[in-house]
Amino acid sequence: METVLKNVRDRYNVLHETHTHGVFITVSPNDVIGLLAYLKNVEGFTHLVLLTAVDWIEENQFQLTWLVNNPVLKQEMGIRAFIERSVWPEESVMDSAHHLWPAAKTYQRELHEMFGIDFPDSPEVNEPLILEYWDQLPPYRRDFDTKKYSEETYFPREGRYTRDPKTHMEAKLYAREGKKQ
Amino acid sequence: MAKMNYRKRLIDFDKRTVESPDGETFEVNPMQDYYCDAKPKVHPPSKIAPLETFYNWCRAESIFILGFGTGCGAIEMRPLMGPMYDASRFGVFWRPTPRQSTVFFIGGYASVKTLKRIVRSYEQMQGPKWVFAVCSCTINGGMYFDSYNTINRLDHYIPVDVYVTGCMPRPEAILDGIDTLKKRIKEGRGEGANKYAKNFEWYKANQKKIIKDWDMPDYNW
Ligand code: SF4
């Protein structure tokens, strides 16, 4: 793994690196596809495990993570890139990796639907995957209020109430000892 | 030559007159879907009361469940089919197609995408038919009550005859629910399909409110 990392560091501008839970390296979005191609074709990371996104709403960024795997040496590596978080209905744009792994197109379709991240030229990226014809803020964006949407749309049944787990369990378990603190 | 004909048939979407094996001739339009689009009708009970009781007894004792698992609760159908709980002792069997079933078993949460298929399958079932909904998710949304994609109350979209709560209910609870359903049918209270026919507009409006890509006929069977 060290040699791989050294090779990567020599060739690309690595912005950040962490080794705590597996190896994750952060590069600029423009470098990602080149780095993925390098890892796939030269270093033997031939398997794309997943592609996913995180919405950092406070920093106004989307974090994209590609997990790649080297099935021969049993190594795994995560590539991260931060792209700008667009204001809906505008979409953030990232380069597609479907020419490296055809399966990437499904992840990209999902991200397009759930986060509103567009991958131009990725096959079928505009077609609905899970939600059929969703016409508002993509639901995985953190400013989407899923409870409010559900209440407005799906006829909630009255009589539902929520208990605070801490106080409820305290009252239940230590009823005889009286209230704690 | 035969191949040519076949290819010509494939791209030929014109109206044409064909002859049936019985010698009848009729016109066929390949670009048209053929289904009965008449709205559902209310079926009144038989005028002779003892006869209706007999009918209801027959209906209750031959329950055919549509094996369509919509959510996690559908997994509880499997032990019921097997020797452990053996629902066939109670005259309950599973059928693979809506056309042959009388009870629609909704096994838990229904996403909007599934609901579209549920509505279609429900309408394709022949009457008399009942809906049997297990799991909290069908009653008030269960633990998915705040999800953007799963419905909260099934009875706003199709009429439900019996609910079984639980997350998920044990097979014993489901057997008990089936017993309740049988009792209701025998008492002549299993009127879900008639309720659907009576409040058809209301149900359709609710369905159309959440199914955005409504690309099916309003009613089909
Ligand atoms: S009630 Fe529980 S088991 Fe049933 S569908 Fe909902 S989450 Fe699944």
Side-chain angles (χ1 to χ4, degrees):
Chain A
M1 201 58 171
E2 265 312 308
T3 41
V4 178
L5 279 174
K6 195 176 161 299
N7 290 344
V8 170
R9 273 183 226 124
D10 289 348
R11 285 168 177 76
Y12 294 91
N13 182 17
V14 176
L15 305 174
H16 187 253
E17 235 181 272
T18 124
H19 293 250
T20 32
H21 306 286
V23 179
F24 284 90
I25 55 178
T26 309
V27 292
S28 88
N30 296 336
D31 285 349
V32 168
I33 300 302
L35 173 58
L36 286 172
Y38 171 74
L39 286 174
K40 184 189 172 200
N41 296 333
V42 182
E43 301 289 351
F45 287 83
T46 50
H47 173 52
L48 174 71
V49 181
L50 59 83
L51 159 60
T52 185
V54 181
D55 183 358
W56 295 102
I57 190 168
E58 293 86 0
E59 277 98 61
N60 202 24
Q61 277 176 331
F62 282 130
Q63 172 200 324
L64 291 167
T65 307
W66 290 258
L67 272 190
V68 287
N69 176 285
N70 183 339
V72 179
L73 300 179
K74 312 242 182 312
Q75 288 173 340
E76 203 151 272
M77 191 192 257
I79 320 295
R80 284 179 183 155
F82 289 86
I83 59 172
E84 202 190 321
R85 188 179 185 283
S86 67
V87 182
W88 182 256
E90 234 165 75
E91 288 170 333
S92 305
V93 182
M94 182 63 214
D95 294 336
S96 165
H98 70 273
H99 54 287
L100 297 173
W101 294 279
K105 84 170 190 197
T106 311
Y107 293 112
Q108 291 168 3
R109 251 171 98 184
E110 188 188 16
L111 292 183
H112 183 234
E113 186 169 273
M114 293 300 194
F115 285 94
I117 304 173
D118 195 12
F119 294 85
D121 297 338
S122 175
E124 300 166 24
V125 75
N126 291 321
E127 277 168 39
L129 178 68
I130 303 165
L131 313 168
E132 291 181 330
Y133 300 97
W134 189 261
D135 54 1
Q136 36 186 311
L137 194 65
Y140 279 7
R141 289 199 177 210
R142 274 173 53 209
D143 43 359
F144 177 77
D145 189 344
T146 155
K147 183 147 186 280
K148 182 159 156 274
Y149 178 79
S150 169
E151 273 165 9
E152 280 167 5
T153 319
Y154 298 127
F155 312 107
R157 193 189 282 272
E158 329 69 69
R160 204 186 163 96
Y161 59 94
T162 314
R163 290 192 185 102
D164 175 37
K166 184 157 174 266
T167 47
H168 176 68
M169 287 318 285
E170 259 177 17
K172 219 174 160 179
L173 295 176
Y174 307 111
R176 266 191 289 160
E177 295 165 29
K179 204 164 174 292
K180 296 227 153 182
Q181 293 110 38
Chain B
M1 206 50 211
K3 205 171 176 191
M4 283 288 290
N5 277 343
Y6 173 67
R7 288 189 63 185
K8 189 161 176 294
R9 280 290 270 295
L10 264 186
I11 50 169
D12 185 7
F13 293 129
D14 298 340
K15 267 191 204 171
R16 64 181 93 105
T17 316
V18 294
E19 194 172 327
S20 78
D22 300 336
E24 275 177 74
T25 53
F26 54 90
E27 202 164 82
V28 172
N29 181 3
M31 293 308 284
Q32 187 193 333
D33 284 336
Y34 285 93
Y35 54 86
C36 176
D37 56 358
K39 285 186 179 174
K41 283 194 289 272
V42 178
H43 287 275
S46 166
K47 289 203 181 70
I48 309 162
L51 201 57
E52 179 66 14
T53 318
F54 173 67
Y55 284 161
N56 281 337
W57 174 80
C58 297
R59 286 165 187 160
E61 293 304 328
S62 64
I63 285 191
F64 288 88
I65 292 184
L66 173 58
F68 175 16
T70 61
C72 19
I75 202 80
E76 296 295 329
M77 278 199 273
R78 276 84 213 184
L80 281 173
M81 292 175 190
M84 181 90 174
Y85 294 98
D86 196 12
S88 55
R89 289 175 296 163
F90 305 104
V92 178
F93 296 93
W94 275 264
R95 306 307 302 171
T97 142
R99 313 264 181 210
Q100 297 174 355
S101 10
T102 59
V103 172
F104 200 163
F105 185 103
I106 309 282
Y109 64 83
S111 65
V112 176
K113 195 172 180 177
T114 320
L115 186 75
K116 189 172 164 189
R117 279 77 185 169
I118 289 178
V119 168
R120 261 202 109 143
S121 315
Y122 177 72
E123 291 178 349
Q124 284 179 11
M125 284 166 64
Q126 309 188 30
K129 56 187 173 185
W130 301 276
V131 177
F132 183 85
V134 301
C135 278
S136 310
C137 281
T138 52
I139 299 172
N140 64 1
M143 69 184 208
Y144 295 112
F145 72 103
D146 59 354
S147 159
Y148 56 89
N149 200 25
T150 58
I151 60 164
N152 279 357
R153 302 182 56 165
L154 187 64
D155 49 13
H156 272 64
Y157 307 100
I158 54 173
V160 180
D161 287 286
V162 173
Y163 275 124
V164 180
T165 71
C167 178
M168 47 196 62
R170 301 253 329 147
E172 292 95 332
I174 296 178
L175 279 179
D176 189 58
I178 290 174
D179 238 25
T180 314
L181 178 66
K182 282 186 179 183
K183 246 181 245 151
R184 289 182 71 108
I185 298 173
K186 281 182 193 158
E187 288 166 8
R189 283 159 64 213
E191 288 287 302
N194 284 348
K195 205 168 135 200
Y196 190 68
K198 251 184 241 161
N199 307 321
F200 189 63
E201 261 72 50
W202 183 75
Y203 281 112
K204 276 294 148 198
N206 287 346
Q207 290 163 7
K208 282 185 184 166
K209 184 181 165 205
I210 62 162
I211 302 176
K212 305 259 169 59
D213 59 328
W214 189 276
D215 54 2
M216 46 190 190
D218 258 5
Y219 189 76
N220 62 315
W221 50 277

